[in-house]
Amino acid sequence: NPLSGGSHVISSEISDNAGNRAEINVNFIIADAGGIIDSAGGTITVTNTASPILGASLTVPPNAVLSPVTLFILSSSPATPLPSYLVVPSGPAIEFGPDGTTFNAPVTIEVPYQPSSIPLNTPESAVSLYYYNPSAVWQKVPNTTLDTVNKFVIAETAHFSEYQAGTGIVDSGLTSVIADPDYVNANNVSKSIITVTPRDANNDLLGAGQNVTLSQAGPGTLGVVTDKGDGTYTAELTATLTTGTTLINATVNGIAIN
């Protein structure tokens, strides 16, 4: 039967008439894509249409490695999955290897995601990328971009590990909603800036691209929400001539914020 992708071992044992025995074990990997990259750089892409990670790729710039190295891309089943309290898996896990490989300059990886796996009320722009580090935890990869046409998360990295697209889950208790100032004059002019900072259960920023909505109960005119691109979202509340207390209600990806 054909071998499946992943790591395999071939063992061979030889013995003579005197009872002497020798055993040899050979480790090898069946990858979805692989190749030899030298100092000139290059790109490795999964082109097998039967692969669940079709289109995943790795681009190594010139001088990122000083001598030829064999690199591969492999569909993965992580021993430790993405934590369910923190992130919703939004695509297949991928191992870029060999694990632990480092580079003299960042390489670019493209990891597929599946829009059907994005949680309800969450925009596609909220998809990010996570990697498994040697401390046995999943961490968010900073500064990712989305190819929403071909459905890839794109990132630069200087090391290899397991990677997976995911959508962060907002923590309503750690997410903040702040009004500055929290008191304005009822004069049709004064403004308060409402700032929402969505965070996950690790108290990390969910980042740009979240679906943030605001509503009010009380006087004032509430403006549109602006994604500042730094993980915060703002709107202006402009005073009217009516006095009173205004309660601001916020939701992030459909989840009400305390």
Side-chain angles (χ1 to χ4, degrees), residues 85-109:
Y85 70 90
L86 189 66
V87 59
V88 175
S90 302
I94 297 179
E95 180 182 352
F96 291 90
D99 185 32
T101 300
T102 59
F103 300 90
N104 297 319
V107 301
T108 301
I109 58 175

Side-chain angles (χ1 to χ4, degrees), residues 53 56-58 73-74 76 78 82-83 86-96 107-114 118 123-133 137-147 151-169 200 202 204-208 210:
I53 58 172
S57 69
L58 158 70
I73 306 173
L74 174 66
S76 174
L82 286 166
L86 189 66
V87 59
V88 175
S90 302
I94 297 179
E95 180 182 352
F96 291 90
V107 301
T108 301
I109 58 175
E110 297 193 18
V111 175
Y113 69 91
Q114 300 160 337
I118 300 173
E124 189 173 347
S125 55
V127 174
S128 190
L129 189 64
Y130 294 79
Y131 80 95
Y132 192 71
N133 72 17
V137 294
W138 285 91
Q139 290 185 310
K140 189 175 182 180
V141 178
N143 303 320
T144 58
T145 58
L146 285 184
D147 177 351
K151 311 305 179 186
F152 290 100
V153 191
I154 304 170
E156 289 189 339
T157 182
H159 61 86
F160 273 173
S161 181
E162 288 181 295
Y163 290 81
Q164 188 169 9
T167 307
I169 300 173
D200 63 21
N202 283 349
D204 292 327
L205 293 174
L206 284 185
Q210 311 301 314

Side-chain angles (χ1 to χ4, degrees), residues 191-206:
K191 299 178 185 296
S192 177
I193 304 300
I194 312 301
T195 301
V196 181
T197 307
R199 295 182 180 274
D200 63 21
N202 283 349
N203 206 27
D204 292 327
L205 293 174
L206 284 185

